[in-house]
Amino acid sequence: MTTPPPSAAPPSEATPPSAAAPRSGPRPAPWVRTRLRAAPLGTLLAAALAFVAVLLAAALPRAQDRGADQALRSFLERSGQTNTSLQVTAPAPVSGQSAEALDGTRKSLLSNIGATFRVDPDAVVHGTRTTKRQPLLNPELSRPSGFPPAMALLYVQQAQAHVKLVEGRWPSDTRPPAGAPEGAAAYDPPLQVALSQRAAETLGARLGSVLKSTPLVDGTPSVEVVGLYAVPDPTEDFWVGLDCLPRACEHYNGENLSWHVDALIGAGDLGRMDTWGDTAEDFWRLPVDVGSLRADRLDATTKEIASYVAGPTAAALTRETARPRLRTTSWLPELFKQAHDRRQAAAPLALIGPAGVGGVAFVVLCLAGALAADRRDAELRLLLARGGSRAGIVGRLLGEGAVTVLPAAAAATALAVLLLPTPRLTPALLSAAVVALLALLAFPVRAAVLLTPPRPAGRWRRPVAELLVVIATAAAVLEVRRRGVAPAGSDPDPLLIAAPLLLALCGGLLLARLQPVVTGWLARAAGRSSGLVGFLGLARAARGTGAAGTNSRGRTGPSVLPMVALLLAITTGGFGAAVLDSVDANRLGVARLAVGGDAAISAFGKASLPDGLAKAAGELPGVRTSVPLWIDHDSSVLGTTQRSTQISVIVAEPAAYAELSRTLGCGSFDPALLAAGGAQAADAPVPALFSAGLARLAGPGTYTLRPGNGGELKARVVGVIDCTPARPARDAATVVLPAGPATALIGADRPNQWLGLGSVDGDRLRALVRSALPPAPSTNQAPAPAAGQGPAAGAHPADEVYPVRTSAEAVAELGADPLQRSAQRLFWASVAGAAGFALLAVLLTLMRTVPERAALLARLRTMGLRRRQGVALILAESLPQTLAATLGGALVAAAAVALLGPAMDLSTLVGASVPTGVRLTAGPVLTQALGLAALVAAAVLVEAATSGRRQITTELRAGDQR
């Protein structure tokens, strides 16, 4: 017998169970880790889906912000710094004027700048200027038309940093000697000025010249040129509004030319500036930093600018600077309103695409949740049967989703913020949070519905829901037709933007009702044939497949969600493509009217085109119609109700000009009306087409035309046109004549303009024009231009002598607005995202029916079904819904264009004023519908061919486990 160790306690003294050490048996594994490890592929796919959806949700608002900011800044930059600056003025003080006083006011102005806009202190231009230019009476100065030049004086504190002194010295910054006269008559000594070297050469002044103005009772104001400077870069922003400092400016009084110049003085003569122009004015130009403005803060910026111009800030500045007549002006409020209206007009296209991809993504997330719930239906019901509560099961599913979805959502949001930097973060975070929450709740909510005890189905629920959708759609469409997609003075209404999506939803619900019936008819027709595959596939497509759960009830039709996803993608893509097609068509029409065709060559004034140029241009590759013409804008017609009316006369070959008018849609006419003009005698009246406005003054009959170059011509009215390509203005008074012997008498046999239709290469056309020019004189023979004059005529490039314009270049100019490009890029990116999600919706539907379809194919395989027939069966089952969605989507997109298109104003997207409305064409809608249908069909075929054999083999080995 073995003695127990002393440390062991007897059984009667054993430790109670409550104090015993924990058992060393295996502990239950954590639920979340076990479930995620059990299905790693599903976990990765769920994370990938959440990542892509959240990435798009976070990226779209940031892309919209970036596009809006870029469009705003580009629009303001094109407006020029004069319009984007705060212009502050105040009368110069009678006493105490100094550079320090100007700097003090500048400091006060900058300290009151608002928080929503910024002014670069180094870019501020300020100083003092005389308000009137004084004539310079020195006889040696240039007087082109006998009028003396005029000069104003400026003190600009920063001027020396932007010029280069080439001769002499700068005006003194110290005050005149104490013995100098003071007051209004302090004309001696002369004011010291620095003059631009170019301006001095134009005027005929030189260093040391004393320029005198009009004598006064108590003396003669005068200035002494003590320095000459050159401006390295006259296009620098510093010189905006100071145009006559770098050079002499031309000033016309009627046809009489005189010179205007400005000169710089030093700080020492600030107190005597009013002796030159009676009054002096202090000015400060504060250029607003356009690059720091944000579209989302435009309203706040407008309020701060308005306060600065006339409001609390303006009142505070008046008190702080002790300048009661301090005034601030700016065009920025008006420019901000224009920018807001432009953004509002482009918003429908920019919002329809994201709304479409959002709707399709919502459908896909719901399908993914339904697929996951159906695959785990047996497991969830087993847990419920073993005592688990619905709340506890849903909580565990939320834990699973949190581990999968939240890290993916966080990574996607961070990536969107990193790839698309923009100051505003809140919209992206909110959008990402909503999508992440939807991805997290889709599976638990579906599971909670499956675990809910079945209730008797109410037959009225679905019709009532469909009726509500129809009512909301009708209300949205009627509101769009009444108010427009973007009502004036307000941002686009979300209900109005959602109108195409509501139409797509109505189409999906209607197709869900019709498609099973039509497919059933086709199945019955296929059943009369000897083949089994077509009948079985169509029958399953009409009936709908049951869910994969053990307690699932068979469906009465196919799932609505995949069809809605396809319809949303096709409708939004087709509607947006129709909008862009209308934009392109309108833009081309505007460009053609501006040019006069697809290409144009013009001559200046009354000059003619070089001999043979029009014929050579018509023979260029791509030219379809060549129209040489002669146009005179200085003609007149006698005999109207006004006796004599100023008109433009156009002489062209009738057939070619009629083709040009028909193609441009501007004043179409029958060329036979003018055809007789070429064969008539020289003294017979020439048939003529009068414009509508001129015809109201003239009426039928024969009239006398007097071209600007002399002569007379009898013209007989044979027709009326509303416009004409060579002069497309609707209110222009024009007369179109046929080319012939009669019109040759007025010099119309030498064309001064050429218009062409076709794909004309602008560079090749310019090269042809250059080759037709006479050789330019050599440099040593060409006389040097006089001071202040431009280069000689022979030095002009060919494009200036005979300007060349093409419609392609005009279209590119109209489409160069960043607002247009941003809206189009965002739309096409959204269309691509919607197509990808729609394809995923179809694939998820296929995956949802994989178990049942695999079992069916396995049973049919044992009865002799071949692999090719199995693929055909899958296609026959899957493609009817896709084809129905394609046809329905095309019809709904066409309906959306017909119902909503007339309410859309495309002027902002076109770049010019065009009639309101979207043109319905089959091409853009069918391209979107057929493209997505082909993509889905290819994906279904690949899925059926690659996975069908493996699924059948698995079923044959394992048997039916359902």
Side-chain angles (χ1 to χ4, degrees):
M1 183 175 178
T2 306
T3 304
S7 59
S12 58
E13 300 177 4
T15 306
S18 60
R23 290 179 296 180
S24 60
R27 303 179 62 183
W31 171 273
V32 174
R33 185 182 66 186
T34 303
R35 290 307 309 163
L36 296 182
R37 285 183 175 181
L41 181 59
T43 301
L44 291 178
L45 291 178
L49 177 60
F51 180 86
V52 173
V54 174
L55 179 63
L56 287 177
L60 284 175
R62 298 182 71 79
Q64 288 178 327
D65 283 351
R66 286 169 59 87
D69 291 345
Q70 183 181 6
L72 171 65
R73 293 162 187 171
S74 175
F75 172 70
L76 294 178
E77 286 173 357
R78 292 198 306 270
S79 300
Q81 194 182 85
T82 300
N83 294 330
T84 59
S85 298
L86 298 172
Q87 308 282 353
V88 185
T89 59
V94 178
S95 61
Q97 176 69 300
S98 64
E100 291 75 14
L102 293 172
D103 289 342
T105 303
R106 169 183 174 272
K107 183 178 180 180
S108 298
L109 294 173
L110 292 176
S111 64
N112 284 271
I113 295 296
T116 61
F117 68 97
R118 191 175 68 86
V119 173
D120 184 4
D122 296 333
V124 176
V125 179
H126 67 288
T128 304
R129 60 191 169 205
T130 55
T131 56
K132 294 181 181 179
R133 285 190 170 90
Q134 295 295 106
L136 301 178
L137 303 182
N138 299 57
E140 69 272 13
L141 300 183
S142 173
R143 302 188 181 193
S145 300
F147 286 84
M151 175 181 285
L153 303 183
L154 286 90
Y155 168 76
V156 184
Q157 194 167 23
Q158 306 90 340
Q160 295 186 27
H162 298 270
V163 300
K164 179 182 179 182
L165 186 66
V166 295
E167 192 175 357
R169 60 177 177 83
W170 286 110
S172 175
D173 286 337
T174 59
R175 296 186 181 276
E182 296 181 359
Y187 302 128
D188 293 321
L191 297 170
Q192 298 180 2
V193 300
L195 195 62
S196 164
Q197 189 177 36
R198 289 181 57 187
E201 293 174 354
T202 302
L203 293 182
R206 61 181 184 276
L207 186 67
S209 296
V210 177
L211 308 178
K212 298 184 178 181
S213 183
T214 305
L216 301 177
V217 176
D218 49 356
T220 301
S222 62
V223 295
E224 179 184 1
V225 180
V226 298
L228 299 177
Y229 62 84
V231 179
D233 184 11
T235 63
E236 191 179 3
D237 290 340
F238 176 83
W239 301 107
V240 173
L242 305 175
D243 302 329
C244 298
L245 276 177
R247 57 179 177 82
C249 300
E250 296 178 349
H251 176 72
Y252 286 93
N253 184 9
E255 296 183 356
N256 299 314
L257 170 65
S258 62
W259 299 111
H260 279 186
V261 295
D262 293 339
L264 292 172
I265 69 169
D269 286 330
L270 274 174
R272 297 197 300 152
M273 284 187 69
D274 55 356
T275 63
W276 180 257
D278 293 336
T279 58
E281 178 185 70
D282 295 341
F283 67 92
W284 299 263
R285 189 180 79 229
L286 282 64
V288 174
D289 184 10
V290 173
S292 64
L293 296 178
R294 290 166 48 182
D296 61 290
R297 304 174 66 180
L298 201 56
D299 292 341
T301 306
T302 302
K303 292 179 181 178
E304 291 190 357
I305 294 288
S307 175
Y308 206 98
V309 172
T313 306
L317 284 172
T318 301
R319 294 191 301 269
E320 184 177 339
T321 59
R323 291 177 179 264
R325 296 175 62 186
L326 187 74
R327 296 290 180 268
T328 303
T329 59
S330 178
W331 286 100
L332 280 173
E334 289 78 6
L335 293 177
F336 288 164
K337 185 179 184 305
Q338 295 177 23
H340 177 267
D341 293 342
R342 282 163 41 83
R343 183 187 177 190
Q344 177 180 294
L349 181 65
L351 294 178
I352 286 173
V357 71
V360 181
F362 175 79
V363 173
V364 169
L365 291 176
C366 292
L367 276 174
L371 174 64
D374 289 347
R375 299 289 282 182
R376 295 177 59 180
D377 181 67
E379 170 197 343
L380 298 177
R381 294 186 184 279
L382 179 61
L383 291 174
L384 187 64
R386 290 188 174 184
S389 64
R390 280 198 307 156
I393 296 173
V394 171
R396 289 180 180 272
L397 297 181
L398 281 174
E400 292 181 30
V403 174
T404 304
V405 172
L406 295 185
T413 305
L415 183 61
V417 172
L418 180 64
L419 294 179
L420 298 171
T422 186
R424 198 163 60 145
L425 190 61
T426 303
L429 293 181
L430 290 177
S431 180
V434 170
V435 174
L437 185 62
L438 177 61
L440 179 62
L441 295 179
F443 177 29
V445 170
R446 175 62 177 172
V449 173
L450 289 177
L451 296 178
T452 302
R455 292 181 299 174
R459 294 183 177 271
W460 54 269
R461 294 177 185 172
R462 180 175 177 182
V464 169
E466 292 175 347
L467 181 60
L468 292 177
V469 172
V470 171
I471 292 174
T473 304
V477 171
L478 291 176
E479 196 70 4
V480 168
R481 297 296 297 265
R482 186 177 67 87
R483 296 171 52 196
V485 176
S490 63
D491 292 329
D493 191 337
L495 178 63
L496 309 185
I497 297 300
L501 306 185
L502 292 174
L503 286 172
L505 182 57
C506 285
L509 297 177
L510 180 61
L511 278 182
R513 294 282 189 178
L514 296 179
Q515 190 252 332
V517 178
V518 176
T519 308
W521 292 345
L522 296 177
R524 285 192 292 272
R528 300 188 187 99
S529 63
S530 58
L532 178 65
V533 173
F535 166 72
L536 186 58
L538 291 174
R540 287 174 56 81
R543 178 178 61 86
T545 55
T550 58
N551 195 29
S552 63
R553 297 173 294 274
R555 297 189 186 125
T556 59
S559 174
V560 180
L561 291 181
M563 190 174 296
V564 170
L566 288 172
L567 277 170
L568 286 174
I570 294 174
T571 302
T572 54
F575 182 78
V579 171
L580 292 180
D581 182 73
S582 296
V583 168
D584 292 339
N586 285 325
R587 192 177 289 164
L588 179 59
V590 170
R592 279 179 161 179
L593 286 178
V595 173
D598 287 324
I601 306 175
S602 304
F604 277 121
K606 300 183 181 299
S608 301
L609 295 177
D611 293 337
L613 177 59
K615 181 180 179 181
E619 296 173 351
L620 286 176
V623 177
R624 187 176 69 252
T625 303
S626 175
V627 188
L629 55 86
W630 179 83
I631 182 170
D632 179 46
H633 298 290
D634 297 327
S635 300
S636 59
V637 57
L638 306 181
T640 65
T641 57
Q642 298 178 350
R643 296 188 179 182
S644 177
T645 304
Q646 189 80 13
I647 62 170
S648 296
V649 173
I650 301 166
V651 179
E653 197 280 320
Y657 197 70
E659 172 67 15
L660 180 67
S661 301
R662 183 189 62 80
T663 303
L664 269 61
C666 181
S668 299
F669 64 93
D670 184 2
L673 296 174
L674 299 179
Q680 288 183 336
D683 57 347
V686 179
L689 299 174
F690 277 32
S691 62
L694 181 61
R696 286 192 293 269
L697 300 175
T702 301
Y703 297 89
T704 301
L705 303 182
R706 287 183 177 175
N709 56 359
E712 287 188 355
L713 182 69
K714 296 293 184 179
R716 175 172 49 88
V717 181
V718 296
V720 178
I721 54 177
D722 54 352
C723 71
T724 188
R727 189 81 189 279
R730 297 283 174 177
D731 57 347
T734 56
V735 174
V736 179
L737 303 175
T743 54
L745 297 178
I746 59 175
D749 55 334
R750 293 178 57 85
N752 54 16
Q753 192 171 8
W754 175 84
L755 303 177
L757 291 175
S759 55
V760 187
D761 186 353
D763 294 336
R764 180 174 291 184
L765 192 58
R766 290 186 177 88
L768 177 65
V769 171
R770 285 191 292 270
S771 66
L773 288 176
S778 59
T779 306
N780 55 3
Q781 294 177 351
Q789 297 180 356
H796 283 291
D799 291 349
E800 295 186 15
V801 179
Y802 300 105
V804 174
R805 300 183 65 194
T806 64
S807 61
E809 296 169 349
V811 166
E813 292 175 3
L814 291 173
D817 190 349
L819 182 65
Q820 305 167 7
R821 296 198 303 268
S822 173
Q824 293 182 11
R825 284 196 305 265
L826 187 61
F827 168 75
W828 287 120
S830 300
V831 166
F837 277 117
L839 177 61
L840 185 58
V842 175
L843 294 179
L844 285 175
T845 305
L846 291 176
M847 294 177 61
R848 191 178 184 184
T849 60
V850 161
E852 182 182 356
R853 187 173 66 244
L856 174 64
L857 293 177
R859 297 187 187 105
L860 294 177
R861 183 70 177 273
T862 60
M863 293 185 286
L865 183 74
R866 293 189 298 272
R867 180 184 179 187
R868 182 176 299 176
Q869 291 176 318
V871 174
L873 177 62
I874 297 175
L875 293 177
E877 178 186 347
S878 305
L879 290 185
Q881 193 179 43
T882 301
L883 297 179
T886 301
L887 178 60
L891 294 177
V892 172
V897 174
L899 293 174
L900 307 177
M904 294 195 66
D905 185 4
L906 304 179
S907 298
T908 298
L909 294 175
V910 172
S913 179
V914 296
T916 302
V918 177
R919 184 181 62 176
L920 176 59
T921 53
V925 176
L926 290 179
T927 300
Q928 296 295 315
L930 296 180
L932 185 55
L935 182 64
V936 171
V940 171
L941 179 61
V942 171
E943 195 276 339
T946 56
S947 63
R949 183 174 183 181
R950 175 171 46 82
Q951 294 165 1
I952 293 174
T953 303
T954 303
E955 288 291 331
L956 289 176
R957 288 178 178 177
D960 189 359
Q961 299 177 359
R962 285 164 299 279

